[in-house]
Every structure is written in structure tokens, then in C-alpha cells.
Amino acid sequence: MLSVLSVVLMVVDARFDTLKPFRSQLGLVLTPFYWMADMPQRLWIDMTQSISSRSELLAENEKLKAEALLLERRLQKLATLTEQNVRLRELLNSAELLDEKVLVGELIGVDPNPFTHRILIDKGEKDGVFVGQPVLDARGLIGQVVEVMPYTARVLLLTDSTHSIPVQVNRNGLRAIASGVGNPESLDLRHVADTADIKVGDLLVSSGLGQRFPAGYPVAVVTEVIHDSGQPFAVVRAKPTASLNRSRYVLLVFSDPRSPEQRAADAAVAQEKADQQDAASAIDATGSATAPAQGAQ
């Protein structure tokens, strides 16, 4: 009877949405068990950190200071480039590109099914997480949220066999679709023309098409390109830039909710206001210069 009930529940869950509210509430009930299962690792990390020697801490401190100095130097150059980018966008009457809001989450569970690449994070509906939200780590995109519970959420990784993402070659802008093949170290680029300009070492970034993933984030690096003169498409494989099997902390990206038309309209309004302010400033400057001249006469 239990076996039959299990089969019926699996069929209903796969074909209908009836059990989604129940699953959400069940996730709320199981959240303490996830935390308890993760507690031994947390205790081990805390214990190893507490028994670190003073010399190791001093060496790590010096290393972090050096890295911070290097990052500050890069930040100074980045600030200059950002200002140049803003000025160019103003000349092109384009909207200013703002950094997306992000939320830091922590991995608390992994799907045991070897044919499904999913993870569980400690942020949920109470934190503003939503289905379809992009997730990345320090090196690139990881995947997207596919299920949200009150305090946790499930993330589908890029390498899952059911996942695809529109990408483009950073070197020349060539567009393609990167699909998971069930291997955590590999992605396939589907339907890439045999004559396409793509080679090993090319960086693939998100193209922003489909309005699901923000544009410009690293996705993978091309590792293999096989050309066959008898086939219309080349075989292209890439390795994800994100550490899918090692990342413990992730970033959930909150992109600009405005549509491209709304962003263009807002940019036009901002430009019109700027033009009006410039005109008013020019009139004030002209009036100030005329007043002393009349007084001298």
C-alpha cells in the first residue's frame, strides 16, 4: 500500500500543481532538520578556526592586507573606467547601468539524485527570493531558483540536463545556447555553425536574452571545438567558470525589474531634465554677465 501511495504521489507531483502548497509547507517543517544536518560541519569549521595558531593568523592577516592593497589599486582604475562609461552613455542618450542588488546565501543541502543537479540554500520567500532568480558565486553563474519555500529555496544548476542558458562569446559577441549534460564539469553549445568563429579558451558570458539572466556574467570557458566538414554544426564543449561542486556561499541577484522600454523612457526623461537644467544655467549665466555691463554704462 505504501509503494502504491508513493507511486501515485510521484505521478500527481510530476503532472499537476496540486502538491506545491503542501511541499512549501513541508519545506517549512523540514528547515530545522536541514540546519541540524548541517550542524556537524559548522561545529567542525568553528573548532578548526578556534584552534588556529597565532602565527597562521598573522600570516593570513598579512596576506589579506596585500590582497586588499591590490584590490584598492584595481578599484581606483575601475572608478576611472566607470566614470568614462557613464560619460559615454550620456553621449549616447542611454540609461546608466547600475549594479544589481544581491543577497548572500549559504548552501545547506545537495540533491542526492546523481541525475539531478540541484542545491538547497538558506534564503527563501521571507528574504524576497523568487522563482527564476539568477544565482552566482565569486567566479560566475551557478543557476537559477526553481522552487521557493518560506525560509529555503532550491537552485537548479547550469549543468543539469534540463537547463539551458543563452550565452555569447566575449571576444566577438557570437551568440549560442549553453545546455547542461548532467556533468558538473561540462556544458554543450548547441547548434553552433561549423564555420563559426569560436575557439578553445574563449570566455562565454550571459547574453541577457530571454530576460532571465542579467547580461555580462561569466558562464563557462570553451575547452573543446570539433569541426566535421560533413556536419552543419560543430561540437563545442565548455567548462563552467563557477565552482559548482565547491561553492558554499552564493549570491542571489535582484535585477532591474523595469522593461527595456521603461528604462529607455526613464533615460529620455532624465536627459530632458538635464537639458532643461543646462539651459536654465546658461540663461542665469547670461543674465549675470549682462547686469554688471549695464551698471557700468
Side-chain angles (χ1 to χ4, degrees):
M1 291 178 63
L2 293 176
S3 300
V4 173
L5 180 61
S6 299
V7 172
V8 171
L9 289 175
M10 285 188 292
V11 172
V12 172
D13 184 50
R15 297 183 176 275
F16 305 99
D17 297 334
T18 308
L19 297 179
K20 280 190 175 180
F22 174 75
R23 184 190 300 166
S24 177
Q25 297 300 323
L26 184 62
L28 178 61
V29 175
L30 294 178
T31 299
F33 295 96
Y34 291 134
W35 285 100
M36 292 178 61
D38 192 52
M39 187 61 67
Q41 184 173 3
R42 291 174 179 270
L43 293 176
W44 172 256
I45 293 175
D46 293 340
M47 184 177 65
T48 55
Q49 289 178 349
S50 63
I51 63 176
S52 297
S53 64
R54 183 173 181 272
S55 60
E56 291 177 348
L57 293 176
L58 290 174
E60 184 178 2
N61 190 22
E62 293 297 329
K63 180 181 177 181
L64 291 175
K65 287 181 178 179
E67 291 178 353
L69 185 61
L70 292 174
L71 291 175
E72 287 177 357
R73 180 186 64 83
R74 294 181 181 179
L75 183 61
Q76 293 174 1
K77 295 182 64 177
L78 180 61
T80 302
L81 294 175
T82 302
E83 292 298 328
Q84 292 177 355
N85 188 25
V86 170
R87 288 193 293 268
L88 289 174
R89 287 183 173 273
E90 289 176 351
L91 291 175
L92 295 174
N93 194 22
S94 178
E96 181 181 359
L97 180 62
L98 300 176
D99 292 336
E100 291 89 358
K101 176 186 174 184
V102 295
L103 174 67
V104 179
E106 185 176 0
L107 184 146
I108 60 174
V110 178
D111 196 319
N113 186 353
F115 302 104
T116 302
H117 294 185
R118 298 189 182 193
I119 59 175
L120 188 70
I121 60 176
D122 64 345
K123 293 294 184 291
E125 186 178 1
K126 301 294 185 181
D127 303 291
V129 179
F130 56 90
V131 174
Q133 186 171 14
V135 181
L136 61 150
D137 68 357
R139 298 184 178 181
L141 284 171
I142 288 181
Q144 61 176 304
V145 177
V146 293
E147 185 177 356
V148 178
M149 289 161 282
Y151 296 101
T152 57
R154 283 189 175 88
V155 177
L156 182 68
L157 302 182
L158 297 176
T159 53
D160 190 270
S161 58
T162 62
H163 191 280
S164 296
I165 175 175
V167 298
Q168 66 182 21
V169 179
N170 193 48
R171 176 172 56 88
N172 56 17
L174 177 69
R175 293 189 298 271
I177 300 295
S179 301
V181 294
N183 183 351
E185 298 292 330
S186 180
L187 294 172
D188 279 359
L189 267 64
R190 305 291 175 85
H191 305 108
V192 177
D194 189 64
T195 58
D197 181 14
I198 187 171
K199 57 185 180 181
V200 174
D202 279 342
L203 175 64
L204 304 176
V205 298
S206 55
S207 65
L209 300 178
Q211 299 182 357
R212 176 59 58 90
F213 294 93
Y217 283 107
V219 176
V221 176
V222 177
T223 57
E224 185 179 10
V225 180
I226 302 176
H227 295 282
D228 188 351
S229 58
Q231 299 294 330
F233 303 111
V235 178
V236 183
R237 297 186 178 92
K239 181 179 180 180
T241 57
S243 303
L244 300 180
N245 289 334
R246 296 180 294 276
S247 295
R248 183 172 182 85
Y249 295 95
V250 298
L251 295 174
L252 295 104
V253 181
F254 293 85
S255 300
D256 192 344
R258 298 177 300 171
S259 64
E261 293 79 7
Q262 290 176 336
R263 289 196 293 269
D266 293 343
V269 172
Q271 184 63 35
E272 184 178 358
K273 290 182 179 179
D275 293 340
Q276 292 176 354
Q277 291 177 355
D278 292 341
S281 299
I283 293 173
D284 293 340
T286 303
S288 300
T290 305
Q294 292 176 352
Q297 291 177 357

